[in-house]
Amino acid sequence: VRFVSAHVCRSSPYASRGGKLFPKHKTATLPSRDQLRLRCAGTTEAEAEAEATPAVDLTEDQVELYRVDIRAGKILSVQEHEEADSLYIEQIDVGEEEPRTIVSGLRPYMPASSLEGKMCVVLANLKPRNMRGVKSHGMLLCASDKETEGEEKVELLVPKEGTQVGERLCFGEFVSAEALPGPDGPNKIQKKKVWEKLQPDLRTNEEGGAAWKDLPMVSSAGQVGCDTLKNSNIS
């Protein structure tokens, strides 16, 4: 192996000027990962910030409510849970590529035939729960009244006819999902007990319409409601 001397050649321009063999260059600042992502998408940072900001004015209560993801769904099928007499296993379309499996405790209150094909309301950003060996990916919202004829009565919340499957439901006036703040992730919902704090103020009003305090729960077609239960809890 032939080794080359590391000294600078006398004819080198750096040798004559007393300079270094490798001249010093100014270090470039590399763009962040987010900046690279925006450049690839052809979006400026100002445009991205504008898109991330909700296009509607929201009250503090509404901002808190939109931490949960409540959607219109459609029950495709219902089967009895083999390991639990009180549970149904439903396949529910919430506007995603595949239906969600949701386990509910509705079996003592209504037959499966009354649920299949029906529109419903789904709390969609809960952490999945194992329900007697079946993983449940959300919750069906219902109105209930424990004082009806001495027994508890339960009814599904149902969006107005004309509501699109997968539509994100609103509180107050209806606004498209693109203009609303994104919901919290399931881990944050669980850790911060977001649903537990909001749920006690969810009720049906004197007309059977669903609301949180004085804010009606609405779809693009109108207020969500139930068949007969008025001034009742929603959970």
Side-chain angles (χ1 to χ4, degrees):
V1 178
R2 185 179 179 185
F3 293 93
V4 179
S5 173
H7 74 275
V8 179
C9 176
R10 293 184 182 276
S11 63
S12 167
Y14 295 107
S16 61
R17 296 197 299 265
K20 295 181 179 179
L21 180 59
F22 300 105
K24 187 174 182 180
H25 293 279
K26 191 177 283 187
T27 303
T29 302
L30 294 175
S32 68
R33 182 180 299 177
D34 287 339
Q35 289 171 326
L36 287 171
R37 177 177 56 80
L38 292 174
R39 288 179 190 176
C40 290
T43 306
T44 66
E45 292 184 55
E47 289 171 337
E49 186 175 348
E51 289 175 5
T53 304
V56 292
D57 292 327
L58 302 175
T59 66
E60 290 185 9
D61 282 343
Q62 287 173 315
V63 170
E64 195 67 18
L65 284 162
Y66 291 130
R67 295 177 68 182
V68 294
D69 184 8
I70 298 178
R71 301 189 210 168
K74 184 174 183 179
I75 302 172
L76 304 179
S77 66
V78 183
Q79 68 180 85
E80 297 177 350
H81 197 305
E82 294 181 355
E83 303 297 327
D85 294 338
S86 63
L87 300 180
Y88 281 138
I89 303 170
E90 298 106 354
Q91 297 297 316
I92 302 180
D93 183 357
V94 291
E96 298 170 335
E97 289 186 8
E98 298 291 336
R100 288 200 187 194
T101 299
I102 293 179
V103 180
S104 73
L106 296 178
R107 193 165 162 186
Y109 305 105
M110 55 194 77
S113 58
S114 70
L115 294 173
E116 290 183 339
K118 197 163 187 178
M119 290 291 288
C120 61
V121 175
V122 174
L123 178 55
N125 61 333
L126 292 178
K127 198 169 183 178
R129 267 182 82 190
N130 195 315
M131 305 283 284
R132 294 288 187 91
V134 178
K135 191 162 282 190
S136 180
H137 297 268
M139 184 195 313
L140 276 174
L141 295 188
C142 300
S144 62
D145 187 351
K146 292 185 179 180
E147 299 179 0
T148 302
E149 300 178 359
E151 295 182 1
E152 184 173 20
K153 186 174 182 180
V154 177
E155 293 178 354
L156 277 182
L157 288 189
V158 180
K160 280 267 190 183
E161 185 177 352
T163 302
Q164 297 297 310
V165 171
E167 197 170 274
R168 190 176 179 194
L169 302 181
C170 298
F171 292 89
E173 295 184 3
F174 180 77
V175 180
S176 65
E178 292 77 14
L180 295 174
D184 286 353
N187 288 331
K188 192 170 184 179
I189 291 289
Q190 177 176 294
K191 184 177 180 180
K192 300 293 184 180
K193 298 188 181 298
V194 176
W195 173 244
E196 288 82 352
K197 293 174 183 176
L198 296 173
Q199 184 273 325
D201 290 310
L202 268 175
R203 296 180 60 83
T204 56
N205 58 24
E206 293 180 356
E207 289 77 39
W212 186 86
K213 294 185 178 180
D214 60 344
L215 293 171
M217 182 191 295
V218 297
S219 71
S220 60
Q223 188 170 10
V224 174
C226 62
D227 288 339
T228 65
L229 292 180
K230 303 174 182 179
N231 300 314
S232 299
N233 296 320
I234 294 174
S235 59

